[in-house]
Amino acid sequence: METETLRWFQLVADGVTVTEVSQIEGISQPAVSRALSRLELEVGTPLLRREGRVLRLTHAGAAFKQHVDAVLHHLDDGIAAVQQILDPERGTVTIAFQPSFGSWLVPDLVSSFHAEHPHVRLDLRTTADETVPDVGPRSDVDFELSTLRPPQGPDHPRWRVLAVEPLRLLVGPGHHLIGTDTVALTQVADEPFVMIKATSLLRRQSEQLCAEAQFEPNVAFVADDLPTLRGYVAAGLGVAIAPALWGGSMAAPVVGPHVLALTDRGATREVGFSWAPRRRMLPAAELFREHVLARARAGRLPRPV
């Protein structure tokens, strides 16, 4: 089967007329029709049926179309991969990241990388469930920025620590601890807490810190994201544990919460960079990995406030 014939079949199946295909491809309409007829002979059954002036898929054609789409998709990916090998400066890199990194780490890495490689496209995706890695041998994600350290082993994602981010206690206006340099979680053990949603690693770590302080937090409100968590604290609905880079940012959209340093052991989180070990990395992705690791080694990532 000829690739161009499969593409013509795909176009017609998607609603493009034979006349339009001939105009797009710059060939005669009869040539397109003959090619589609030869394709049906090769498959062994009609794939298209005419309804007035429009061609519709038969049941066999609909089944065949799914596989044609997959084949052409893989073929286009292969062509793109070759083009990336020939020109790594024009590839695409897919990066998943925890939402809390979207305000400081991701913008820094993207802007600094684009300054050196302006034609590489970065496909940025926020992680839906932080407790499950997005990178893997069968995933289309090249890299992940996460606080989830994967298990050790040849089949698990490779992991590099980029930064260690302090966790702070956020308290609302008028809270009795305002003005204190450092606090321990035991000092707010009896107070209502605002927690992030259960699919966040920050939720897991916050609960663990409270458990190590030998109390179970009274979760009064649950926030879907850090801006909402800050808003709840600013409204005096409870205290919260949050990363320092967000909790102390002057650019944070919500004013009101006060940021207090925690003395509790383990009140930090590792910011990591991971990738699948057995997935072939294209040159554009190699460029991004080297950029991120070099920036971390040089101490050029944003620092906690």
Side-chain angles (χ1 to χ4, degrees):
M1 296 179 186
E2 296 183 1
T3 303
E4 65 178 8
T5 302
L6 293 176
R7 293 193 188 279
W8 297 344
F9 167 76
Q10 188 182 51
L11 287 170
V12 172
D14 287 336
V16 180
T17 67
V18 172
T19 300
E20 290 170 335
V21 172
S22 68
Q23 293 171 346
I24 294 169
E25 299 293 334
I27 60 174
S28 68
Q29 181 177 335
V32 176
S33 297
R34 287 194 297 270
L36 293 175
S37 296
R38 289 195 301 271
L39 179 62
E40 290 181 323
L41 288 173
E42 289 185 77
V43 175
T45 188
L47 302 174
L48 300 161
R49 55 184 173 80
R50 183 169 294 280
E51 288 186 4
R53 301 181 63 181
V54 180
L55 291 174
R56 304 291 188 190
L57 287 171
T58 64
H59 289 303
F64 184 62
K65 168 75 161 47
Q66 297 179 23
H67 297 280
V68 169
D69 288 344
V71 167
L72 293 180
H73 176 74
H74 286 301
L75 177 62
D76 290 339
D77 280 352
I79 293 172
V82 172
Q83 290 173 341
Q84 286 193 23
I85 291 172
L86 297 176
D87 185 6
E89 293 290 346
R90 294 187 179 274
T92 298
V93 184
T94 303
I95 306 149
F97 62 93
Q98 290 179 204
S100 61
F101 298 153
S103 63
W104 62 281
L105 180 59
V106 174
D108 175 83
L109 294 177
V110 169
S111 61
S112 59
F113 181 76
H114 267 171
E116 299 176 10
H117 310 283
H119 300 297
V120 175
R121 178 176 174 269
L122 298 180
D123 180 3
L124 304 176
R125 307 178 184 181
T126 54
T127 302
D129 186 346
E130 298 175 9
T131 63
V132 180
D134 276 354
V135 295
R138 297 182 181 178
S139 169
D140 64 345
V141 173
D142 293 306
F143 302 106
E144 184 170 11
L145 295 163
S146 172
T147 58
L148 178 64
R149 178 184 282 270
Q152 297 293 318
D155 295 323
H156 292 291
R158 296 290 181 263
W159 161 276
R160 296 292 184 275
V161 176
L162 301 182
V164 178
E165 187 179 15
L167 297 177
R168 306 296 195 199
L169 182 70
L170 303 186
V171 300
H175 194 276
H176 66 92
L177 289 176
I178 292 176
T180 307
D181 291 335
T182 59
V183 298
L185 283 174
T186 53
Q187 294 175 255
V188 292
D190 296 329
E191 299 189 24
F193 270 75
V194 179
M195 288 283 187
I196 205 76
K197 60 185 179 181
T199 55
S200 169
L201 290 170
L202 178 60
R203 172 65 174 269
R204 180 189 296 178
Q205 189 170 8
S206 297
E207 291 176 340
Q208 182 177 348
L209 284 171
C210 292
E212 290 173 355
Q214 299 186 354
F215 74 91
E216 182 176 345
N218 171 23
V219 181
F221 294 92
V222 176
D224 284 339
D225 50 40
L226 284 173
T228 304
L229 179 141
R230 285 178 52 83
Y232 287 173
V233 174
L237 301 180
V239 300
I241 299 169
L245 279 167
W246 182 273
S249 172
M250 294 300 293
V254 179
V255 295
H258 292 262
V259 183
L260 308 178
L262 283 170
T263 59
D264 296 77
R265 183 178 179 181
T268 59
R269 66 175 188 173
E270 292 180 327
V271 178
F273 183 59
S274 59
W275 60 91
R278 300 188 184 279
R279 184 181 175 198
R280 181 174 174 270
M281 194 172 294
L282 294 176
E286 289 279 9
L287 287 176
F288 185 78
R289 180 173 65 177
E290 288 306 312
H291 174 81
V292 172
L293 296 179
R295 198 164 180 80
R297 285 194 300 268
R300 298 177 64 188
L301 296 177
R303 294 186 178 276
V305 293

